[in-house]
Amino acid sequence: MLRVVHTFGRNAGSVELHDRRVVRFGRAPDNDVVFDPNHDRDASSHHAEARLEAAGWVLYDLDSRNGTYAGGQRIKRHPIASGDEITFGAKGPRARLELVERRAPGPPQTHAAPAHPALAAAPPAPPTGYPAPAAYPAHAGHPAHAAPSAGHAAGAAYPAPAAYPAPAGAHPGHVPAAPPAGSRRVGERTIAMMISSAVSAATGRSKPRGTVEINAMLHKEVHAATAGQRRTTYVLASLLVVALTSLAALIVYNRSSHDEISQLRAELARLPPEDPRRKEIEQRLGTLHPSNANFGRNLHDRSRKGIFMLASGREGFCTAFAVRPSILATNAHCITAAKRRGGTIVALENEGRGQVSFAVTSMRTHPQYRDSADQLTPDIGVVSIAGRAAAVLELATREQLAAAGAGDDVYLIGFPERLTDAANPVATFLAANIGRITGANGRPAPAAEAWLIQHDARSTSGMNGSPIFNGEGKVIGINAGGYLEGNDETISGQKTEVVKASPYKFGMRIDLLDAILR
């Protein structure tokens, strides 16, 4: 038999006895000697195995990652001598391997006093209520028991170990092995006592223990051995309850906060500009900001495969996005530009390395769109593609559109002019705020007519046609370009009007698509 005494690692202090010809060591649960999978990381899943061969026990390394060491030397095959200390991995768990002879079962024999100092020392007095057993009586047929051996006075009683009742019929020379320091292996001593009681009863030297007594002993041992595990389980369960309660409260709070924001915004949209209640509602909205540190990242990740670059040849010129599997929304002026370019127009999937390409089969603009620099008209259109987009963006409802207003956070995903590379279409994520929402003439208007969304995103012409998301991740508009501002400047002594692009951009409200998609 092979006794394994753990000397270092999570199992340090415990002892295992294996009565088989092959004993396997490792972190995987199917081993005979199982190391802790989290603590003893230097040991491999199937690290080594000891085999009983004709010449004796031999330890083999199973091509472990960090090696097996005996006496400080790395080994592949090592004949085991009793007491060898083996290290599984250079800094992994250690165990002392002891060779133990298998003892044939038989009646107990009296023997000389043990030489081991721990056994030679006088054992403690038996606990109250458990009298020491009488010396094993001599009887016919057993001359070895006719007289007590040296070190055992005739009729002397050997005291029972503390906390364990002496088994009925135990002889004076019997000394139970003490468990190793720091180890509590559930049931080993209890099982040994049950076996001893059964053997004694079978040979007629004692009466068998009652089932109630054995069950009480078993319950006491298991209860003591698992006390630490129960405490740990109670602590972890309490922490889990606290964490789940906190998470549920946070979810409820965020949901109620979102609901209140939506209700207040809808109410604000219904009030006329001169209504005194607007100020109170606006102040309340200013205190409600549902936090989500990963909102932008999550929005980008779920939307990125629904963003496309419109390209002609090797040059991209606008952004589009999927509103239906085979229909992309963009600007009407992007469609006009595509028609002027001629040739084959394609839609390149964002982050598709130019290899995910769909041919544009048809293009339509809003019926009220006019290609004119003198007035703003619904600059919105759709293109149909020969294929299906991997993701379709979610459009805002009419209630959400009516609730949008100045100061709201908005987000855009598209292709800035300098990054319209058809060979590498990778969209850019921008964050901005709504400056105001007005009618086409730039003045406040009823919700149904206020479809011009002014924002401050630093977008360029390649971003035209990109989606404008609200704070809930719903598309509320299509980015359409920027204003031009004329300023008088003196150049070479002459006053000249200089036209520059304004930092303020605008988009078209998404429900303008209804006139095309119906």
Side-chain angles (χ1 to χ4, degrees), residues 236-306:
L236 291 177
S238 300
L239 292 176
L240 180 60
V241 169
V242 171
L244 291 176
T245 303
S246 301
L247 178 61
L250 182 60
I251 292 173
V252 171
Y253 171 78
N254 279 340
R255 182 172 296 175
S256 62
S257 181
H258 275 292
D259 291 345
E260 186 176 359
I261 289 174
S262 298
Q263 292 173 2
L264 291 175
R265 286 178 173 174
E267 185 177 354
L268 194 63
R270 291 193 296 267
L271 296 177
E274 65 277 2
D275 195 308
R277 288 177 294 172
R278 293 182 64 90
K279 185 175 182 180
E280 181 181 348
I281 295 175
E282 290 167 352
Q283 289 177 344
R284 176 58 182 160
L285 281 171
T287 65
L288 295 173
H289 297 287
S291 58
N292 185 349
N294 296 320
F295 174 79
R297 177 62 179 272
N298 295 338
L299 174 60
H300 173 269
D301 289 348
R302 75 169 185 258
S303 305
R304 59 194 178 95
K305 289 301 180 181

Side-chain angles (χ1 to χ4, degrees), residues 311-313 317 335-346 363:
S312 174
F317 56 90
I335 292 176
T336 301
K339 292 177 178 179
R340 284 198 297 262
R341 289 171 180 265
T344 302
I345 306 298
V346 296
M363 299 180 285

Side-chain angles (χ1 to χ4, degrees), residues 30-261:
D30 59 346
N31 290 286
D32 301 296
V33 179
V34 180
F35 300 119
D36 189 280
N38 297 315
H39 183 272
D40 301 323
R41 299 293 296 178
D42 275 22
S44 296
S45 297
H46 297 88
H47 197 105
E49 68 179 25
R51 305 172 192 166
L52 181 57
E53 300 180 348
W57 284 93
V58 180
L59 183 69
Y60 291 88
D61 178 82
L62 300 178
D63 296 324
S64 62
R65 182 179 67 255
N66 297 317
T68 305
Y69 296 81
Q73 300 296 320
R74 186 164 183 169
I75 59 98
K76 293 295 290 183
R77 179 183 183 279
H78 174 71
I80 300 173
S82 187
D84 279 353
E85 188 156 350
I86 308 300
T87 305
F88 301 88
K91 298 181 180 180
R94 290 196 301 272
R96 185 171 66 252
L97 306 183
E98 299 177 354
L99 307 183
V100 182
E101 293 184 3
R102 182 184 288 105
R103 296 181 180 178
Q109 302 290 328
T110 57
H111 50 79
H116 194 287
L119 300 180
T128 304
Y130 293 96
Y136 194 87
H139 54 84
H142 289 274
H145 294 279
S149 60
H152 289 267
Y158 195 85
Y164 288 92
H171 63 88
H174 173 73
V175 181
S183 170
R184 289 196 61 88
R185 302 191 60 80
V186 177
E188 287 184 357
R189 295 186 61 175
T190 303
I191 294 172
M193 295 174 70
M194 292 168 62
I195 293 173
S196 175
S197 177
V199 171
S200 298
T203 55
R205 289 192 296 273
S206 70
K207 295 181 179 179
R209 291 180 180 270
T211 302
V212 174
E213 184 181 356
I214 292 174
N215 286 343
M217 293 166 53
L218 214 67
H219 176 74
K220 180 179 179 181
E221 178 71 11
V222 172
H223 188 275
T226 59
Q229 297 176 1
R230 288 198 307 275
R231 285 193 296 269
T232 302
T233 301
Y234 294 154
V235 171
L236 291 177
S238 300
L239 292 176
L240 180 60
V241 169
V242 171
L244 291 176
T245 303
S246 301
L247 178 61
L250 182 60
I251 292 173
V252 171
Y253 171 78
N254 279 340
R255 182 172 296 175
S256 62
S257 181
H258 275 292
D259 291 345
E260 186 176 359
I261 289 174

